[in-house]
Amino acid sequence: MSRFAKPVFLAAGLRTPFGRGGGALAAYDAISLSVPVVQAMAQHAEPDFVVWGTVIPNLGWSNIAREVWLDAKLNPSVPAFSVVLACSTSMTATFAAAGMLGGGADLSLVGGAEVMSRPSLALTAEASKRLTDLFVRDAGAALAALQSLTVRDYVLPTKGWANRITGRTMGDHMEETAKAWNIARAAQDDWALKSHQRAVAGWSNGFFDDLVIPLPELTRDANPRADTSIERLAALKPAFDRDSGLGSITAGNSSPITDGAAGCWVANEAGIARLPTDTPHVRLVDYEVSAVDLHIEGLLMAPSYGIPRLLSRHRLGFSDIALWEIHEAFAAQVLANVAAITDPDWVRAKAGVEADMGPFDWERVNPMGGSVAIGHPFGATGARDLSQAVKELWALPIGSRAIVSICADGGQGTVALLERV
């Protein structure tokens, strides 16, 4: 059983190295960092359409997909459009592209980018109105008013990227969820250490070599730390709840501020035939987009609704999934979502799924590391996760399945079911 009338495939794409915030890639913007990715991918095949996204708003463009494609000096007759769904942006792009295949559109290039080092600055609505009204009546007065703007007239980036409705950062919300689910600091640090160790091993054994294109400023991911240890992680102070004595989320067990761009392919059978024969690819069987009340369930807990519903729809249990690629916004977020989906009472009451899905095998989760170690440029994470999962699943026996899960701001999340073919 599949969501699609005809087979849809995801094929591994390419990405930049992921850079540390304020580091080697900070001079780029989301367009210029995306250009080398789409240029490199277009050398393998020209897509029939492009879907691309970025999360942090920029007043310089409205359709980043088209801007990237044209700046890359590629065929202007290829259409391109943009999507955004917070951290699930480029995963949502794959779902959108999958639904558009057919009628001569067989191959889509999808992805996204974020340069978190360089968020745009904007004026508040009040300051903007004041200036635009002045420009209409008196340009000289408007210019004088520009010179007298104060810091209160600007919309400045909020540390931790705050939710607009609550005004609280992702970390603030995750601290609340970690406490609600009794996620211990030691467990978070242990998972963070595994993420770093696996990402470092992945680079050492060559896993990432054909997924990452080197840039002049950076040739490999800057965030994975070969020298970290459980002792070093344990020594870090809480980054969000600093006063209660119960804070558990630190810089070490959270995904870091990151710059990067990533892409992957979405295709039908005719589109896959246009890619190089050795391109890893798997079938996109189905997907789930879920949303929860962020005031009740937690800002990043939507995957715990989507995963059981997706598995139940296909009569699958946890043991039927050979690979889990779970985005690590925070180590606590991974631990809390898995705690939820492995609680049959919770799944029954919240997700509306009756089936007992059996034991969960942690050894199948993020075998090459996740976002805590690799980094999390919002718009690029979905394509990075998917390409990584496709290559990991490609190495497993035919018929093996994977779940790829990404949480997103606003109490939303996306989950994909993949199958090795």
Side-chain angles (χ1 to χ4, degrees):
M1 180 178 67
S2 172
R3 172 182 288 266
F4 307 101
K6 295 182 178 180
V8 172
F9 302 95
L10 300 183
L14 296 169
R15 65 175 176 89
T16 67
F18 282 4
R20 292 175 185 161
L25 304 184
Y28 288 85
D29 62 19
I31 293 176
S32 60
L33 193 55
S34 300
V35 164
V37 174
V38 301
Q39 287 176 330
M41 290 179 66
Q43 289 179 3
H44 297 301
E46 181 178 274
D48 298 310
F49 62 99
V50 177
V51 191
W52 207 259
T54 193
V55 177
I56 301 171
N58 190 297
L59 294 177
W61 60 74
S62 61
N63 181 5
I64 186 176
R66 186 63 173 166
E67 304 296 341
V68 167
W69 191 253
L70 294 179
D71 274 14
K73 303 294 190 288
L74 296 166
N75 183 357
S77 66
V78 173
F81 71 93
S82 302
V83 300
V84 60
L85 202 168
C87 307
S88 291
T89 287
S90 50
M91 189 184 214
T92 306
T94 67
F95 302 160
M100 294 176 64
L101 295 175
D106 302 318
L107 180 65
S108 177
L109 192 162
V110 308
E114 215 74 56
V115 178
M116 298 175 72
S117 296
R118 291 181 59 189
S120 292
L121 305 184
L123 295 179
T124 63
E126 294 80 7
S128 179
K129 183 178 186 305
R130 187 167 71 244
L131 286 173
T132 52
D133 287 350
L134 273 174
F135 270 114
V136 171
R137 300 193 308 270
D138 186 341
L143 289 173
L146 269 174
Q147 295 176 334
S148 64
L149 290 172
T150 70
V151 69
R152 293 183 179 181
D153 294 315
Y154 290 94
V155 179
L156 300 171
T158 304
K159 183 179 182 295
W161 310 101
N163 176 270
R164 184 191 68 83
I165 294 171
T166 67
R168 301 169 64 208
T169 68
M170 306 293 111
D172 291 331
H173 279 276
M174 200 61 236
E175 273 284 10
E176 185 177 82
T177 302
K179 292 179 176 69
W181 283 94
N182 297 312
I183 306 299
R185 164 72 184 272
Q188 296 175 50
D189 288 347
D190 180 67
W191 188 255
L193 179 62
K194 285 184 172 69
S195 187
H196 280 278
Q197 290 173 335
R198 292 170 179 179
V200 169
W203 273 105
S204 297
N205 66 28
F207 174 84
F208 292 106
D209 290 352
D210 58 357
L211 294 177
V212 178
I213 57 170
L215 296 177
E217 302 85 356
L218 191 65
T219 60
R220 59 187 291 167
D221 295 329
N223 291 304
R225 297 180 180 272
D227 61 348
T228 195
S229 66
I230 204 68
E231 291 78 19
R232 288 189 176 190
L233 289 167
L236 296 173
K237 295 181 179 180
F240 300 96
D241 179 1
R242 301 176 179 176
D243 301 320
S244 74
L246 300 174
S248 62
I249 296 178
T250 70
N253 56 40
S254 308
S255 60
I257 301 298
T258 313
D259 304 327
C264 63
W265 298 102
V266 182
N268 56 22
E269 290 178 332
I272 283 292
R274 287 159 51 183
L275 295 174
T277 55
D278 58 349
T279 304
H281 61 278
V282 302
R283 189 163 67 102
L284 174 61
V285 179
D286 200 355
Y287 63 85
E288 184 84 11
V289 180
S290 53
V292 300
D293 186 336
L294 63 90
H295 300 287
I296 297 173
E297 302 299 350
L299 188 74
L300 304 180
M301 289 298 289
S304 64
Y305 281 60
I307 292 171
R309 290 170 180 168
L310 185 55
L311 292 177
S312 176
R313 192 155 64 240
H314 293 269
R315 299 182 180 179
L316 298 173
F318 296 142
S319 63
D320 296 310
I321 305 303
L323 168 70
W324 297 81
E325 192 69 37
I326 303 177
H327 162 51
E328 299 168 351
F330 303 88
Q333 168 260 318
V334 178
L335 298 170
N337 274 280
V338 174
I341 65 173
T342 53
D343 180 344
D345 293 335
W346 190 93
V347 169
R348 187 178 305 111
K350 299 292 188 177
V353 172
E354 295 292 332
D356 183 347
M357 295 182 182
F360 186 88
D361 187 351
W362 279 100
E363 291 304 312
R364 300 180 181 186
V365 182
N366 298 359
M368 293 296 166
S371 300
V372 163
I374 296 170
H376 175 32
F378 297 149
T381 285
R384 193 277 299 170
D385 268 337
L386 287 167
S387 282
Q388 190 164 319
V390 167
K391 185 175 179 183
E392 291 161 350
L393 189 58
W394 183 251
L396 299 180
I398 290 174
S400 300
R401 302 180 186 90
I403 287 285
V404 184
S405 171
I406 300 180
C407 60
D409 183 24
Q412 301 193 91
T414 53
V415 184
L417 174 61
L418 312 181
E419 183 178 8
R420 170 72 163 94
V421 292

